Amino acid sequence: MRVLLVGAGGVGTAITRIAARREFFDGFVVADYDLARAEAAVAALGEAGGGRFRARRVDASDEAAVVALLTEEECDVLLNATDPRFVMPLFEAALAAGSHYVDMAMSLSRPHPELPYARCGVKLGDEQFERADAWEKSGRLALVGMGVEPGLSDVFARYAADELFDTIEEIGIRDGANLTVEGHEFAPSFNIWTTIEECLNPPVVHERDRGWFTTEPFSEPEVFDFPEGIGPVECVNVEHEEVLLVPRWVDADRVTFKYGLGEDFIGKLKTLHALGLDSTEPVTVRGADGTPVRVSPRDVVAACLPDPATLGDRMSGKTCAGTWVKGTKDGRPREVYLYHVVDNGWSMREYGSQAVVWQTAVNPVVALELMAGGVWAGSGVLGPEALPPRPFLDLLTAYESPWGLREQG
C-alpha cells in the first residue's frame, strides 16, 4: 500500500509517528500547503521512518493538483488530515485518480434557512453520500468519519449492536476530559476552527419515528461520569458526524452526541457567536499601511490562539472518547459505556504528541492497516459502522492502545 497523507498539522504529524512503527505500507507521502511543515514531519521520524516517508507540497483546495500527485506517486489511498473545508476537493480527487479515500471529518453542513433549530438543512456528509453511486461503480472505498469521534465511537456502536445487545433504545456518544494547559486561560485542545463549527451549529439528533432533526446549541445538558479518574463532566448536544452515520447501519431508537465542554468553554463560544467572530464570511479591515484586507473572523480567532499540537508539554490530564448504549440483552435491560482513554503524559512520552491529536490519529492508521490486509474492504461511501468491528478493536489493542467496557447498571 502507498498512502498520500494530506495535512501535516498536529493530527497529520501524529499519524506519521504512529504509522512509522508499522509495516503494512510501502510508501507514505506527506503533503501540505506548507512544504516546510511536511518536511519537518518526515524529518522528525529520523531512522524510524525507514526511508518510506517523503514530503511533497500540495494545495488541498486544488483538486487537479491532488489528482496529479496521487497519480505521480502511485498512491492507493488518500488520507485526509485537513480541516473539513477541504473534504470535497480531496474526496473528489481520490475518486478521479482511482484511489481509496479516508477522512476523519465529513463534508460541511448548512443550517435550515428558516427553521435552523427544528429541521436539518444540508447535513454533515450529505455531499459525500450524494456521490455514493459513483464510488460504488469505481470499485473504490471512501471510508468517511474514521477518526476517534467520529470513527472509533462508530466502531463501538456497531460492536455493541453485534455482540452486546438484542435491542437498542439509545446510542449516545459521550466525550469528556480533565485536561488542563498551564499558562493559558483559553487553549482548546483541538482545532478551534472545527470546534466552533461543531459547537455553534444546530446539534442534530436522530429518532426512529422522527428521523434527523435539530435543537438549540448546547441543549439537553447532563452530567456524565467518565472513567479512569476523569469523573463527572457536564455534557451538551453538539453537531457531530456519528448522529448522521450510526443510524444508516445500526438499528437504534435514538442517537445523540454530547460533548463535555464545561460552563466556561460554552460561555466563551457564546461570546464569539454574539460578536460575530465565529463567522467564516470575510470582512474588510484596514492593514497597518491602511490597505483594505479581506479576512474571515473565525480565521482571526484561530490565528490568535495557540496551535493545539504545540501544547503537549504544558498539558496534563486525560481525554476520553466513548459510546454509551442502552437497551436489552436476553430479555433484560442493559446499559454499557465503551470507551478509550489517553493520558497526555503517556502520549507525550511515547510519541511526542498531545493526547487529543494522538487519540484522533491512531484510528485512521488502524483502519489503513485493515484495508491493506483486505480485512476491511468494500466500495462506495461507508462509515466505520458498516465494517466488522472486532478486527478493528483487536488491532487497536495491538497498537498498545486498549479500550474499555463499563457496565452502567
Side-chain angles (χ1 to χ4, degrees):
M1 173 182 276
R2 289 185 60 80
V3 180
L4 171 61
L5 169 67
V6 181
V11 173
T13 297
I15 284 171
T16 65
R17 293 171 181 176
I18 296 165
R21 302 188 184 190
R22 308 300 294 185
E23 302 297 329
F24 66 87
F25 61 93
D26 303 311
F28 219 100
V29 179
V30 183
D32 197 278
Y33 185 80
D34 181 351
L35 177 60
R37 189 159 71 163
E39 290 174 334
V42 172
L45 300 174
E47 294 183 3
R52 294 180 296 164
F53 292 79
R54 58 180 300 184
R56 295 291 301 270
R57 184 192 179 279
V58 77
D59 181 347
S61 68
D62 186 340
E63 182 181 327
V66 178
V67 171
L69 183 57
L70 281 164
T71 303
E72 180 185 340
E73 294 286 352
E74 300 180 324
C75 291
D76 305 289
V77 58
L78 188 159
L79 173 54
N80 177 2
T82 64
D83 74 53
R85 288 174 289 182
F86 303 106
V87 162
M88 288 311 296
L90 294 174
F91 176 82
E92 294 289 2
L95 177 61
S99 301
H100 300 295
Y101 171 85
V102 179
D103 66 30
M104 291 164 273
M106 295 168 65
S107 59
L108 291 170
S109 64
R110 292 191 296 277
H112 191 281
E114 295 154 3
L115 297 169
Y117 305 127
R119 297 180 185 174
C120 295
V122 175
K123 302 187 298 299
L124 291 169
D126 274 357
E127 289 183 83
Q128 289 173 286
F129 281 111
E130 286 172 1
R131 299 285 282 148
D133 285 348
W135 275 92
E136 194 162 350
K137 289 175 183 175
S138 76
R140 297 294 184 265
L141 171 61
L143 177 58
V144 296
M146 191 59 254
V148 61
E149 290 173 343
L152 178 58
S153 51
D154 303 72
V155 174
F156 283 150
R158 177 62 183 269
Y159 173 73
D162 286 357
E163 301 195 26
L164 305 179
F165 290 84
D166 297 323
T167 66
I168 296 177
E169 178 182 330
E170 183 168 351
I171 295 173
I173 316 306
R174 300 293 183 264
D175 178 297
N178 61 0
L179 295 167
T180 58
V181 181
E182 181 183 356
H184 289 279
E185 269 192 46
F186 185 57
S189 57
F190 201 68
N191 180 295
I192 187 61
W193 200 99
T194 304
T195 301
I196 290 173
E197 184 76 14
E198 293 175 348
C199 295
L200 293 177
N201 276 352
V204 180
V205 174
H206 185 273
E207 292 181 358
R208 185 189 302 277
D209 297 334
R210 294 181 62 181
W212 286 292
F213 62 94
T214 57
T215 71
E216 295 274 351
F218 315 118
S219 59
E220 299 183 4
E222 67 174 63
V223 175
F224 192 86
D225 187 19
F226 289 91
E228 299 194 20
I230 295 174
V233 179
E234 185 177 62
C235 299
V236 294
N237 278 328
V238 167
E239 181 191 49
H240 230 253
E241 285 90 343
E242 292 92 329
V243 179
L244 288 313
L245 286 171
V246 170
R248 296 176 187 268
W249 289 282
V250 179
D251 190 28
D253 292 343
R254 194 169 199 260
V255 182
T256 58
F257 179 96
K258 293 189 180 183
Y259 199 2
L261 295 172
E263 186 177 343
D264 180 66
F265 198 104
I266 290 172
K268 287 182 169 64
L269 290 174
K270 286 181 175 178
T271 299
L272 290 176
H273 179 64
L275 296 173
L277 295 175
D278 61 322
S279 175
T280 60
E281 291 299 318
V283 297
T284 301
V285 297
R286 294 285 178 183
D289 61 356
T291 304
V293 178
R294 298 281 285 170
V295 62
S296 156
R298 191 185 300 186
D299 287 340
V300 173
V301 172
C304 291
L305 291 172
D307 179 352
T310 67
L311 298 175
D313 290 334
R314 286 163 284 170
M315 186 181 290
S316 60
K318 299 176 181 180
T319 183
C320 178
T323 303
W324 163 75
V325 187
K326 180 181 180 181
T328 64
K329 179 67 174 176
D330 298 328
R332 297 180 179 180
R334 191 178 194 189
E335 190 176 338
V336 305
Y337 183 57
L338 298 142
Y339 64 89
H340 184 254
V341 171
V342 177
D343 183 282
N344 188 74
W346 174 85
S347 64
M348 287 298 296
R349 286 193 306 273
E350 288 293 314
Y351 289 90
S353 298
Q354 57 102 318
V356 176
V357 299
W358 189 92
Q359 188 182 47
T360 303
V362 68
N363 294 285
V365 181
V366 172
L368 287 175
E369 185 160 345
L370 292 175
M371 291 168 65
V375 179
W376 269 17
S379 61
V381 179
L382 302 180
E385 54 278 278
L387 299 163
R390 174 54 77 174
F392 187 96
L393 296 174
D394 288 346
L395 187 54
L396 182 66
T397 301
Y399 273 59
E400 298 182 285
S401 187
W403 55 281
L405 187 157
R406 182 179 69 187
E407 295 282 352
Q408 298 287 94

